[in-house]
């Protein structure tokens, strides 16, 4: 046991044999842009293609670099440290590190950006958890996973799993002696995994590859069904492992219940994880929690979040809120309403944000129209899968007919200026979230 590294022992996290809870935020937009979080109606692959077609590869890289810096820099770290958190989940994008057409051709720019943020973690003494949020072809069918087809194709190709494993081995070797890193969140939100066998063969190979070069860091394990089903794992007899699951309370519990009823339901919903900690000795970390609430229910929603975090604290379950900064979707910090970025994306929002034209709504309408033409009824599972495929097509259309025309009429120098809207000094801070943190971290 190397005492300078965070340890996962006896169902808890420890530093130098003293218990510690990890409580913090995810950097959700920093390296992996999601459409609803930044106000752009497509996935990052399609966005990058549109940017490159308009401004060229060099300027596209400059834009991404500037946006990343404005999303997180020393000012943000000072602010985050002042809140009392002790950990950041660094959301990594597989495609930022490796050229899909040239396996093993790693981007030094991506490593340099990660090094920049890790240096800030060291300076401000905030633990980092490296979260691989996407994979080649997607570990789940949503756009944030690396899927462009609406299918979890990652699980169907051993070659894709191998290049992913190679990248993790490279990361682990590079950062094997970095004590500010608490651990590696190996794969975000797997979903629609074809079989338990496929899943466990992949994880066994991945863990073996990492442990060949790094036995210092904790490995965080997320299960199937969007990091909720941990029973898919076969027993793993290794040190330095932790369970990670995602829990957005409003998806499971009514916010209108009384406090004691909410506590009872939380215990019922989370008992399977508490039991798993008991039987395996691996600590628990909720890699994502929080919520996306309409303005009319925001206070009610965050009351539920606060009670959930209080439950986590009582049960020694570490947690990470989603997310620190975005374009006023779920973030603690967001650009002002009249900022250049918000005004610029507002023009595109008219084409896709109205309720009747939202991607989810359109996908449902198109799927229902298709179902009416069939001679059989679709199962709920097939409906869910098909909706992702339709959504992927809609994202592609939005990129071509909404985003690309907007980029073509936007001067590149102005686009760079728009990213300054994400600077902490140019943004607003959610009073509701900040007050919640003051109470929950006291």
């Amino acid at each position: 046991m190397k005492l300078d590294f965070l340890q996962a022992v006896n169902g808890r996290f420890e530093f130098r044999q003293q218990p510690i809870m990890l409580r913090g935020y995810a950097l959700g937009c920093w390296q992996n842009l999601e459409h609803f979080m930044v106000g752009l109606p497509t996935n990052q692959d399609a966005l990058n293609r549109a940017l490159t077609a308009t401004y060229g590869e060099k300027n596209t890289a400059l834009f991404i670099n500037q946006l990343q810096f404005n999303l997180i820099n020393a000012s943000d770290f000072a602010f985050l440290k002042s809140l009392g958190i002790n950990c950041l989940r660094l959301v990594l994008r597989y495609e930022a590190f490796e050229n899909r057409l040239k396996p093993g051709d790693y981007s030094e720019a991506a490593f340099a950006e990660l090094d920049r943020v890790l240096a800030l973690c060291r300076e401000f003494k905030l633990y980092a958890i490296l979260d691989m949020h996407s994979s080649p072809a997607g570990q789940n069918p949503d756009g944030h996973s690396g899927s462009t087809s609406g299918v979890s194709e990652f699980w169907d190709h051993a070659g894709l799993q191998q290049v992913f494993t190679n990248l993790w081995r490279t990361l682990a070797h590079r950062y094997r002696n970095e004590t500010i890193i608490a651990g590696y969140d190996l794969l975000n939100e797997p979903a629609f995994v074809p079989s338990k066998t496929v899943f466990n063969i992949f994880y066994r190979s991945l863990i073996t590859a990492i442990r060949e070069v790094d036995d210092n860091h904790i490995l965080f394990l997320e299960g199937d069904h969007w990091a909720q089903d941990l029973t898919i794992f076969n027993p793993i007899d290794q040190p330095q492992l932790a369970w990670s699951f995602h829990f957005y309370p409003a998806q499971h519990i009514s916010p209108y219940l009384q406090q004691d009823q909410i506590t009872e339901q939380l215990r019922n919903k989370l008992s399977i994880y508490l039991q798993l900690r008991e039987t395996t000795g691996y600590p628990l970390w909720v890699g994502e929690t929080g919520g996306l609430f309409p303005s009319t229910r925001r206070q009610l929603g965050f009351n539920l979040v606060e009670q959930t975090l209080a439950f986590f604290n009582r049960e020694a379950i570490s947690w990470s809120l989603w997310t620190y900064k975005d374009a006023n979707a779920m973030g603690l910090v967001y650009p002002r309403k009249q900022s250049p970025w918000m005004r610029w994306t507002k023009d595109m929002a008219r084409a896709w944000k109205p309720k009747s034209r939202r991607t989810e709504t359109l996908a449902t309408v198109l799927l229902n129209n298709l179902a009416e033409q069939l001679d059989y009824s679709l199962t709920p599972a097939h409906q869910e899968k098909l909706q992702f495929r339709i959504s992927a097509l809609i994202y592609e259309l939005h990129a071509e007919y909404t985003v690309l025309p907007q980029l073509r009429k936007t001067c590149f120098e102005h686009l760079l200026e728009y990213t300054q809207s994400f600077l902490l000094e140019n943004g607003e801070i959610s009073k509701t979230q900040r007050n919640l943190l003051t109470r929950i971290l006291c």
Side-chain angles (χ1 to χ4, degrees), residues 87-132:
C87 185
L88 291 175
R89 185 181 186 226
L90 307 187
V91 175
L92 307 182
R93 182 172 178 265
Y94 164 81
E95 295 83 355
F97 287 90
E98 183 170 61
N99 187 327
R100 289 181 181 178
L101 299 179
K102 299 178 182 178
D105 182 14
Y106 298 130
S107 167
E108 283 305 314
F111 282 108
E113 174 63 12
L114 177 53
D115 288 342
R116 177 183 73 87
V117 174
L118 287 174
L120 290 168
C121 287
R122 286 193 299 273
E123 180 182 349
F124 288 91
K125 296 181 173 57
L126 294 176
Y127 276 115
I129 295 176
L130 306 191
D131 154 44
M132 194 60 70

Side-chain angles (χ1 to χ4, degrees), residues 14-303:
E14 291 184 357
F15 182 68
R16 296 182 177 174
Q17 300 182 327
Q18 295 300 312
I20 183 173
M21 276 189 61
L22 301 173
R23 302 189 293 183
Y25 267 99
L27 301 186
C29 285
W30 165 60
Q31 199 175 86
N32 197 52
L33 302 178
E34 295 190 48
H35 68 294
F36 77 98
M37 294 174 64
V38 290
L40 297 171
T42 192
N43 59 52
Q44 188 160 356
D45 282 311
L47 173 62
N48 284 357
R49 288 195 297 271
L51 286 164
T52 302
T54 308
Y55 306 116
E57 289 186 8
K58 185 177 179 180
N59 280 341
T60 296
L62 180 59
F63 165 77
I64 295 297
N65 181 264
Q66 193 65 49
L67 180 60
Q68 288 178 329
F69 178 83
N70 292 337
L71 281 164
I72 187 72
N73 55 59
S75 297
D76 297 288
F77 269 81
F79 170 64
L80 286 162
K81 184 71 174 181
S82 73
L83 297 174
I85 67 168
N86 63 1
C87 185
L88 291 175
R89 185 181 186 226
L90 307 187
V91 175
L92 307 182
R93 182 172 178 265
Y94 164 81
E95 295 83 355
F97 287 90
E98 183 170 61
N99 187 327
R100 289 181 181 178
L101 299 179
K102 299 178 182 178
D105 182 14
Y106 298 130
S107 167
E108 283 305 314
F111 282 108
E113 174 63 12
L114 177 53
D115 288 342
R116 177 183 73 87
V117 174
L118 287 174
L120 290 168
C121 287
R122 286 193 299 273
E123 180 182 349
F124 288 91
K125 296 181 173 57
L126 294 176
Y127 276 115
I129 295 176
L130 306 191
D131 154 44
M132 194 60 70
H133 216 71
S134 69
S135 66
Q139 74 280 5
N140 69 53
D142 210 347
H144 68 255
S145 75
S147 173
T148 58
S149 64
V151 180
S152 310
E153 294 183 86
F154 175 76
W155 302 107
D156 297 328
H157 302 281
L160 297 180
Q161 295 170 29
Q162 187 59 56
V163 297
F164 182 85
T165 297
N166 293 344
L167 174 59
W168 256 125
R169 193 179 192 279
T170 300
L171 284 162
H173 183 266
R174 183 180 180 112
Y175 298 111
R176 63 192 183 280
N177 295 319
E178 180 53 79
T179 56
I180 202 63
I181 295 177
Y184 308 139
D185 187 355
L186 298 180
L187 186 58
N188 178 71
E189 293 188 344
F192 300 106
V193 177
S195 75
K196 186 172 182 176
T197 299
V198 167
F199 185 85
N200 282 280
I201 288 174
F202 161 70
Y203 263 94
R204 184 166 61 246
S205 175
L206 177 60
I207 291 172
T208 298
I210 291 174
R211 288 307 187 214
E212 287 173 354
V213 296
D214 182 355
D215 60 3
N216 294 324
H217 289 105
I218 298 167
L219 305 184
F220 292 87
L221 309 178
E222 297 189 31
D224 194 12
H225 193 55
W226 312 94
Q228 295 181 64
D229 178 14
L230 295 174
T231 64
I232 193 172
F233 281 98
N234 289 335
I236 307 173
D237 185 18
Q238 284 210 24
Q240 288 290 72
L241 296 180
W243 299 117
S244 176
F245 64 96
H246 293 180
F247 188 79
Y248 289 95
Q251 296 177 2
H252 306 276
I253 299 169
S254 169
Y256 296 100
L257 297 176
Q258 298 297 316
Q259 183 169 341
D260 59 340
Q261 294 174 306
I262 289 175
T263 300
E264 181 182 0
Q265 290 213 10
L266 284 168
R267 185 167 296 282
N268 290 338
K269 296 288 184 181
L270 300 173
S271 61
I272 187 171
Y273 305 116
L274 295 170
Q275 181 61 41
L276 194 60
R277 178 175 65 183
E278 184 71 22
T279 56
T280 63
Y282 303 156
L284 299 175
W285 176 59
V286 181
E288 290 183 23
T289 190
L292 175 62
F293 308 113
S295 57
T296 55
R297 296 178 57 207
R298 186 158 295 171
Q299 186 61 57
L300 192 65
F302 275 106
N303 288 343

Side-chain angles (χ1 to χ4, degrees), residues 332-392:
L332 169 66
V333 178
Y334 47 89
R336 294 186 177 94
K337 187 175 182 180
Q338 294 304 316
S339 67
W341 182 273
M342 299 300 275
R343 292 201 308 269
W344 181 64
T345 56
K346 185 177 180 180
D347 290 339
M348 284 177 278
R350 295 189 183 98
W352 70 287
K353 276 196 172 180
K355 188 172 183 179
S356 61
R357 294 202 296 273
R358 287 176 184 166
T359 300
E360 297 80 3
T361 304
L362 280 174
T364 301
V365 170
L366 293 171
L367 181 59
N368 289 341
N369 289 340
L370 171 63
E372 290 176 0
Q373 306 303 316
L374 301 175
D375 295 329
Y376 44 82
S377 298
L378 296 175
T379 65
H382 268 117
Q383 289 180 36
E384 187 178 11
K385 283 188 174 184
L386 287 172
Q387 280 189 302
F388 280 107
R389 296 191 190 189
I390 296 170
S391 294

